Amino acid sequence: MITVLAGGVGAARFLRGLVLAVDPAEITAVVNTGDDTVLHGLSISPDIDTVTYTVAGAIDPERGWGLADETWTAMANLTRYVGVRPAGSTAAPEWFNLGDRDLATHFYRTARLSEGATLSEVTDEIARAWGLGLRIVPMTDDRVRTMVDILEDGDVTTVGFQEYFVKRRHSVPVTGIRFDGADNARPTFIDAIGASEAVVIAPSNPLVSIGPIRALHGVDATLSAHRDRVVAISPIVAGSALKGPADRMLSELGFEASVLGVARLYAPICGTLVIDERDAEHRDAIEAIGVRCVVADTIMRTPEIAASLATTTLTAAREGARHDR
Ligand code: FO1
């Protein structure tokens, strides 16, 4: 079994390659749910949907989220209600775009959760509806919410992740993050880590995509017990994030926005870090802190490049596992 700890776009592209490289039935993708939100009364799990749609080949390739060939009729019709919305009401939120086709997924998830199904059950049903052969599991069935402290007009305010990421276009400074509910949430995947020949930390934001998964009880301890077969792929290439605010967020929160900064964050739980060719000069510095380092092309421009990265990553995990005995 191969377990992949996953956030949004980078993880989804890696998984799209992994299913080409190995039998999908061998793969469990554990997905961050700290970004989940409720809007229009609908339960929205952005990272789960990004992984599902990408592996299904149905994602919008430019945006990296939502469905290709989408239409926006429901969103356009929300404007009618904005004028009558009472002060303080959060009805008709226009800042978060839900396409007409995408809405069907949120309708289904919300209805099944209200019937008493767990998020794991609903996520599995949605993956099967899209014809996927891998297992996609939310990191927990309990409610965890990533909260972000932002500096706005000279004051620190705490907002939910999507209010930072989408509403403010992640363009405000971040002074802190926390994962509400993580202390009491039960992880769904601890047994999978122990049973896996390889555990991959996908190229996702280490703080707000992998951070919530690591914050769950027992996860870091279990990963560090199997550290030699845990391989991470750096989401930072030449000091920048390929997508999203990971580089800025790392600097703002006192970490180095570089492959070495990523290596330091993961060193307690991860035996090998895969870095991009453009960062090859940092290999010795990474190995000096006790993390094996593999250099590869990590820019997943096509599913075939992602498949090659997946093969390199699994080889590194097998090499590492020899130290794990
Ligand atoms: N990201 C945006 O930048 N703007 C949006 O309006 C938006 C809507 C949206 C709807 C459904 C969904 O599954 C994802 C959506 N995303 C949107 C992406 C998402 O908010 C982020 O990419 C992740 O939460 C970060 O991993």
Side-chain angles (χ1 to χ4, degrees):
M1 194 205 300
I2 298 155
T3 297
V4 180
L5 308 187
V9 179
R13 289 188 180 149
F14 177 78
L15 285 160
R16 179 126 198 244
L18 186 61
V19 296
L20 299 176
V22 299
D23 179 359
E26 291 287 306
I27 304 168
T28 299
V30 175
V31 186
N32 169 41
T33 56
D35 296 10
D36 288 14
T37 190
V38 174
L39 293 165
H40 317 280
L42 298 173
S43 298
I44 300 165
S45 296
D47 282 354
I48 288 175
D49 292 346
T50 297
V51 166
T52 303
Y53 295 163
T54 303
V55 180
I59 199 84
D60 181 282
E62 265 80 57
R63 285 195 308 271
W65 55 267
L67 289 162
D69 305 320
E70 189 55 280
T71 57
W72 305 92
T73 309
M75 286 305 296
N77 280 273
L78 274 184
T79 48
R80 179 185 301 277
Y81 300 104
V82 172
V84 297
R85 179 174 59 196
S89 167
T90 57
E94 295 172 293
W95 55 271
F96 196 84
N97 297 290
L98 294 174
D100 299 330
R101 296 181 64 211
D102 186 30
L103 276 170
T105 304
H106 313 304
F107 290 159
Y108 184 78
R109 176 181 295 115
T110 306
R112 289 288 292 125
L113 291 173
S114 70
E115 288 173 354
T118 63
L119 185 58
S120 292
E121 289 167 335
V122 184
T123 301
D124 183 59
E125 289 160 10
I126 293 172
R128 283 195 283 122
W130 282 95
L132 304 187
L134 80 170
R135 268 182 80 218
I136 300 177
V137 294
M139 64 182 196
T140 178
D141 284 321
D142 301 315
R143 188 179 187 282
V144 175
R145 289 292 176 269
T146 299
M147 304 302 292
V148 186
D149 299 329
I150 55 168
L151 195 57
E152 204 168 42
D153 306 326
D155 289 320
V156 174
T157 322
T158 304
V159 295
F161 182 80
Q162 298 300 343
E163 282 161 326
Y164 157 72
F165 193 93
V166 175
K167 197 172 189 178
R168 290 166 178 82
R169 298 164 198 257
H170 49 77
S171 64
V172 286
V174 172
T175 60
I177 44 174
R178 59 167 201 271
F179 309 114
D180 278 4
D183 287 350
N184 299 315
R186 289 150 300 179
T188 47
F189 58 95
I190 293 290
D191 293 346
I193 293 174
S196 291
E197 55 170 313
V199 179
V200 180
I201 302 178
S204 299
N205 185 318
L207 302 177
V208 290
S209 296
I210 304 301
I213 302 176
R214 292 184 65 181
L216 301 175
H217 186 73
V219 174
D220 261 22
T222 311
L223 288 171
S224 68
H226 299 284
R227 182 182 179 276
D228 281 322
R229 54 187 130 122
V230 180
V231 180
I233 301 156
S234 175
I236 300 289
V237 174
S240 301
L242 293 178
K243 200 166 188 332
D247 45 6
R248 225 174 339 112
M249 204 181 250
L250 282 164
S251 308
E252 286 165 354
L253 294 175
F255 303 99
E256 198 177 300
S258 70
V259 284
L260 191 57
V262 174
R264 288 198 188 106
L265 275 167
Y266 287 149
I269 55 160
C270 162
T272 308
L273 181 68
V274 181
I275 62 170
D276 192 71
E277 285 154 356
R278 285 185 246 171
D279 286 306
E281 70 201 79
H282 300 292
R283 186 207 303 248
D284 291 350
I286 290 168
E287 299 219 320
I289 62 165
V291 177
R292 284 183 294 276
C293 185
V294 172
V295 178
D297 181 4
T298 67
I299 317 286
M300 296 176 280
R301 292 173 297 275
T302 64
E304 291 69 32
I305 297 173
S308 161
L309 176 62
T311 304
T312 303
T313 305
L314 295 181
T315 305
R318 282 188 200 110
E319 291 272 304
R322 287 206 233 123
H323 298 256
D324 202 8
R325 292 195 191 119

